[in-house]
């Protein structure tokens, strides 16, 4: 099947499931029974799905990218292990769309480890959002609350992202330290640094 055909089929399938889960959600809200059990089951399933497909390391400097790809860069500062999922950007977050992510999974995710880590990741050009953050058995939906754009042959810096976990709660924020990131790229990714343009798009992740 050609690429365009696959994209059309995936979109159709997504719309179909969105309609189904809208109906399920409406039925659950009206009936009001078993919601807690359903939420618990969904949480467990989603955590396993995201953990299984998580990216665990950055790309090597100078590795050839596809013609439509650029680089997402950031630094993660965390006192706990976590998984950060991302999706194509959508302006609204609904029950049906969150269920669709449960069923089909995220577009990708990043496995964060305790400490400080720089990330350099190839992504197809387009608009994205971080959709969920998982910390142990906890998770938070953040669909549509943030947006970043990737352009071909361009490095996009989305900020230094800090995750602080304490007493069963977590705080999550992003801030700008562009000069530090530029110094890191120039030192550790000299080929990409010379070849690609650079832009800053610090996302809004305060929570």
């Amino acid at each position: 099947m050609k690429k365009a055909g696959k994209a059309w089929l995936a979109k159709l399938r997504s719309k179909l499931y969105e309609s189904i889960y809208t109906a399920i959600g409406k039925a659950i809200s009206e009936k009001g029974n078993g919601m807690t059990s359903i939420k618990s089951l969904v949480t467990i399933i989603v955590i396993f799905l995201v953990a299984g497909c998580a990216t665990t390391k950055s790309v090597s400097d100078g590795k050839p990218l596809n013609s439509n790809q650029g680089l997402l860069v950031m630094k993660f500062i965390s006192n706990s292990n976590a998984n950060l999922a991302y999706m194509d950007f959508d302006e609204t977050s609904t029950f049906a769309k969150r269920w669709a992510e449960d069923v089909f999974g995220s577009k990708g995710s990043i496995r964060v480890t305790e400490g400080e880590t720089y990330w350099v990741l190839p992504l197809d050009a387009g608009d994205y959002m971080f959709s969920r953050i998982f910390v142990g058995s906890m998770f938070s939906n953040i669909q549509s609350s943030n947006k970043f754009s990737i352009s071909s042959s361009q490095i996009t810096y989305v900020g230094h992202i800090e995750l602080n976990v304490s007493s069963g709660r977590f705080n999550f924020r992003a801030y700008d330290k562009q000069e530090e990131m530029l110094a890191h790229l120039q030192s550790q990714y000299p080929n990409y640094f010379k070849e690609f343009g650079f832009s800053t798009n610090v996302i809004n992740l305060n929570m």
Side-chain angles (χ1 to χ4, degrees), residues 80-105:
S80 176
N81 295 337
N83 280 289
L84 181 62
Y86 59 87
M87 298 277 289
D88 290 327
F89 178 72
D90 197 315
E91 292 184 353
T92 58
S93 175
T94 64
F95 174 85
K97 290 172 183 176
R98 293 189 293 272
W99 266 89
E101 186 174 356
D102 294 337
V103 174
F104 296 112

Side-chain angles (χ1 to χ4, degrees), residues 137-153:
S137 60
M138 302 181 293
F139 83 97
S140 178
N141 284 306
I142 53 175
Q143 285 186 5
S144 307
S145 68
N146 63 94
K147 179 182 179 180
F148 59 94
S149 300
I150 301 296
S151 300
S152 61
S153 302

Side-chain angles (χ1 to χ4, degrees), residues 11 63-64 142 176:
K11 187 174 182 179
K63 182 177 180 180
I142 53 175
D176 188 359

Side-chain angles (χ1 to χ4, degrees), residues 13-179:
R13 184 175 59 179
S14 180
K15 289 291 184 183
L16 175 62
Y17 274 82
E18 185 173 329
S19 299
I20 292 170
Y21 287 114
T22 297
I24 292 173
K26 185 176 180 181
I28 289 171
S29 64
E30 290 176 351
K31 195 168 184 179
N33 295 324
M35 191 63 177
T36 301
S37 297
I38 291 172
K39 283 184 176 180
S40 298
L41 178 60
V42 168
T43 300
I44 293 169
I45 293 171
V46 170
I47 288 172
F48 276 103
L49 286 174
V50 171
C53 65
T55 299
T56 58
K57 63 180 182 179
S58 294
V59 68
S60 300
D61 181 37
K63 182 177 180 180
L65 305 183
N66 295 332
S67 60
N68 68 325
Q69 287 188 316
L71 293 170
L72 166 68
V73 301
M74 59 189 168
K75 182 178 181 180
F76 227 102
I77 304 100
S78 177
N79 67 347
S80 176
N81 295 337
N83 280 289
L84 181 62
Y86 59 87
M87 298 277 289
D88 290 327
F89 178 72
D90 197 315
E91 292 184 353
T92 58
S93 175
T94 64
F95 174 85
K97 290 172 183 176
R98 293 189 293 272
W99 266 89
E101 186 174 356
D102 294 337
V103 174
F104 296 112
S106 307
K107 188 157 192 174
S109 68
I110 300 164
R111 186 170 298 170
V112 178
T113 55
E114 183 178 352
E116 299 185 5
T117 308
Y118 289 97
W119 286 94
V120 179
L121 304 170
L123 288 177
D124 291 343
D127 295 330
Y128 295 88
M129 63 183 176
F130 291 118
S131 55
R132 287 175 176 174
I133 176 74
F134 298 84
V135 182
S137 60
M138 302 181 293
F139 83 97
S140 178
N141 284 306
I142 53 175
Q143 285 186 5
S144 307
S145 68
N146 63 94
K147 179 182 179 180
F148 59 94
S149 300
I150 301 296
S151 300
S152 61
S153 302
Q154 182 87 4
I155 298 170
T156 301
Y157 166 60
V158 297
H160 279 46
I161 300 176
E162 186 175 297
L163 174 65
N164 183 52
V165 182
S166 178
S167 302
R169 300 174 63 112
F170 59 87
N171 296 314
F172 195 41
R173 69 188 184 106
Y175 52 91
D176 188 359
K177 294 193 75 172
Q178 176 181 298
E179 295 304 318

